[in-house]
Amino acid sequence: MAQSTQYELHLARRMSRLGTETAFEVLNKARALERQGKSIIHLEIGEPDFDTPANVVDAGIDALRKGWTHYGPSAGLPDLRQAIAEYVSRTRSVKVTSDEVVVVPGGKPIIFFTILSLIDEGDEVIYPNPGFPIYESMINYVGGRAVPIPLREERDFSLDVNELAALINDRTRLIILNSPQNPTGGVLQRRDIEQVAKLIGDGGQHFSIMSVPGMQERTILLDGFSKTYAMTGWRMGYGVMRPDLAAHMTRLMTNSNSCTASFTQVAGIEAIKGDQTSVDHMRDEFQRRRDAFVAGLNKIKGFSCRMQRC
Ligand SMILES: Cc1ncc(COP(=O)(O)O)c(C=O)c1O
C-alpha cells in the first residue's frame, strides 16, 4: 500500500509514458500466494526452471572468494568481452572484436540504452507485435513513435516483408527484430532476414541479420545469459555494435550501473567457455516439453498452436 504523505508526488511527465512488464507483477502475486502455502504453477515469467549449471555456480563462488567484489570497467571485464566476441563470431558467422561488446546487467539494459542513445522525439521505431512489452514502453518513454509490425499465425509469426516496407519512412530510425520471438516462439528464417536487409537498403535455422553482408555495422545485437545458462537472477547480458556506438553505451553504463557485478562476469566466462553439457540437456528437455505441449494444445477444440521451425 502506498504510504500517505502531506507532500504530493510530482513525477516527471515522461513517467506517464513508461509502461511495464506485467509478468513481474503477476510473479510477485504468485509468490505471495506461495508464501501463504498455496500450490502455484508458474506460467507468468519466462525463465528456465533449471538451476544455473554447477560449473557456473562454482566459478561465481570461487570469484567471490578470490575478491572479485570490486568495481570493474563499465563496458565489462576484458576477458568476458573477448569470450563474447569469440562466441558471437562463431555463432553468427561474423567477425566481432571485443571493442564492439558492451556487457550489461541483463539483456534489457541494451534495449533501454539503444533507445535512449538513438531515438529523439518523433523518431519512429518499428517493433514486433505481439512482442516483448519493453520495446513499446521505452519507445514511448523517450517520446518516439512506436510503430507495430503485426506478426501473424498464418505466417508462422514471421513478419511480412511487404508490410514492413510500407511502414518504413524518413523518420524510421530503428527496426527491432526478435528471433526466436517472445511470446510467439516464431523464428525468423534466413530468407526473411535477407529480404529485410535488402529492404533497408543493403545488402530453416536461427540466423542473425548481422551475418548479412553490409549489415554488421547497422545492427545492434542483443543477447544474454539469462535463458541459455539459466542465469536470470545473476543479471548479465550484452550488446554487440559498432565501436563508436559501444563507447556511448558504455557512458550510459557509467551513468547508471557503473558496471555489471564483477563475480557475475567471471562466472559468465565459465558459462561461455566451460562445459556445455547442461545447456544441451536443457535444450533437449525444452524441445521435449514443447513437442508435448504443442501437440496437446492442438488437440483441444478451438485451439491452434504453431510448431516453430528451428
Ligand atoms: C525478447 C526479450 N528481450 C529481453 C529479455 C530480458 O531478458 P534479460 O534482461 O534477463 O536478459 C527477455 C526476457 O524474457 C525477452 O524475452
Side-chain angles (χ1 to χ4, degrees):
M1 242 237 265
Q3 226 177 320
S4 67
T5 158
Q6 57 178 314
Y7 301 107
E8 209 180 320
L9 179 63
H10 282 290
L11 284 177
R13 268 195 302 278
R14 71 177 83 84
M15 284 305 285
S16 67
R17 301 194 298 264
L18 189 67
T20 189
E21 187 182 351
T22 47
F24 274 98
E25 286 151 28
V26 180
L27 176 69
N28 284 344
K29 285 186 186 158
R31 293 230 166 109
L33 288 172
E34 257 170 349
R35 280 196 297 275
Q36 291 168 18
K38 300 244 165 50
S39 164
I40 301 285
I41 296 171
H42 288 275
L43 295 176
E44 72 293 294
I45 206 95
E47 71 166 338
D49 57 346
F50 294 98
D51 290 331
T52 305
N55 59 317
V56 179
V57 173
D58 289 345
I61 293 171
D62 197 41
L64 280 169
R65 294 202 197 286
K66 287 191 171 138
W68 289 93
T69 52
H70 301 273
Y71 288 130
S74 293
L77 296 177
D79 286 354
L80 178 59
R81 292 173 79 197
Q82 181 59 32
I84 291 170
E86 286 164 16
Y87 172 79
V88 173
S89 299
R90 195 170 67 241
T91 52
R92 272 68 168 200
S93 311
V94 284
K95 179 83 198 75
V96 167
T97 53
S98 59
D99 59 346
E100 294 166 87
V101 177
V102 183
V103 180
V104 293
K108 259 182 186 165
I110 293 294
I111 303 174
F112 204 92
F113 295 163
T114 297
I115 291 173
L116 271 183
S117 55
L118 296 179
I119 301 305
D120 274 324
E121 257 175 57
D123 284 345
E124 296 192 1
V125 181
I126 300 175
Y127 71 101
N129 186 17
F132 193 52
I134 301 307
Y135 302 144
E136 193 183 355
S137 164
M138 277 306 298
I139 300 163
N140 290 333
Y141 184 62
V142 301
R145 207 168 91 73
V147 180
I149 169 104
L151 305 179
R152 298 203 173 82
E153 184 179 1
E154 57 272 22
R155 297 189 55 87
D156 276 337
F157 297 108
S158 182
L159 51 80
D160 180 333
V161 179
N162 295 325
E163 218 166 343
L164 178 63
L167 296 176
I168 297 175
N169 63 39
D170 291 349
R171 291 201 306 270
T172 308
R173 296 273 287 147
L174 273 179
I175 298 172
I176 298 175
L177 302 176
N178 180 205
S179 173
Q181 217 257 352
N182 178 6
T184 65
V187 177
L188 284 173
Q189 302 297 302
R190 188 188 186 115
R191 208 197 42 187
D192 296 332
I193 287 172
E194 281 170 348
Q195 280 182 326
V196 173
K198 225 185 201 162
L199 197 65
I200 299 171
D202 281 317
Q205 264 211 326
H206 175 212
F207 177 74
S208 168
I209 196 165
M210 198 174 225
S211 325
V212 176
M215 287 309 293
Q216 186 169 349
E217 65 169 8
R218 304 182 69 195
T219 304
I220 300 160
L221 179 135
L222 177 168
D223 204 346
F225 294 71
S226 286
K227 312 298 160 79
T228 307
Y229 298 102
M231 292 178 77
T232 50
W234 294 69
R235 306 312 300 138
M236 194 166 38
Y238 55 87
V240 178
M241 67 211 76
R242 43 191 287 176
D244 52 355
L245 178 59
H248 292 292
M249 295 245 184
T250 302
R251 206 151 47 97
L252 281 166
M253 267 300 283
T254 307
N255 274 270
S256 53
N257 300 277
S258 290
C259 65
T260 305
S262 299
F263 58 91
T264 293
Q265 294 188 66
V266 174
I269 297 172
E270 171 63 23
I272 289 196
K273 292 184 135 179
D275 184 15
Q276 302 293 306
T277 316
S278 309
V279 178
D280 296 340
H281 169 69
M282 286 189 277
R283 192 197 47 237
D284 291 347
E285 175 58 18
F286 284 135
Q287 267 178 1
R288 192 190 65 75
R289 292 183 199 171
R290 178 202 62 187
D291 292 348
F293 221 83
V294 172
L297 283 174
N298 281 321
K299 279 192 196 138
I300 304 174
K301 199 159 169 269
F303 273 66
S304 72
C305 183
R306 296 272 160 153
M307 181 70 84
Q308 81 261 38
R309 298 172 290 166
C310 61

